[in-house]
Amino acid sequence: MFDFDQYLGFLAFLAILTLGFWLMIFLITFVIPYWIGGALMERFKEKREEKRAKREAAVH
């Protein structure tokens, strides 16, 4: 059915496909939510500091 070279090529294709699949699963489930969550937390901190600065400026 397969020559040895075709068999190795098929195994290489399956390995690359599998690695790509698990990389996408990892990125979608861990990296991207972590990145978005960190950006949102940083934005909330900046807005909180901005409000605090305005409040202190109004008091003084």
Side-chain angles (χ1 to χ4, degrees):
M1 182 176 167
F2 281 132
D3 290 338
F4 188 68
D5 291 342
Q6 289 177 331
Y7 180 69
L8 285 180
F10 180 68
L11 286 180
F13 169 75
L14 284 180
I16 292 169
L17 183 73
T18 304
L19 287 172
F21 172 76
W22 287 115
L23 178 64
M24 287 304 296
I25 294 296
F26 173 72
L27 288 175
I28 290 171
T29 58
F30 294 109
V31 175
I32 293 175
Y34 181 78
W35 179 37
I36 292 172
L40 289 175
M41 290 294 289
E42 196 68 28
R43 178 172 289 183
F44 290 145
K45 286 180 185 178
E46 288 174 3
K47 288 192 179 220
R48 191 180 330 143
E49 290 294 325
E50 187 177 311
K51 286 181 183 178
R52 185 175 294 147
K54 284 182 182 178
R55 196 176 322 127
E56 288 179 3
V59 170
H60 296 295

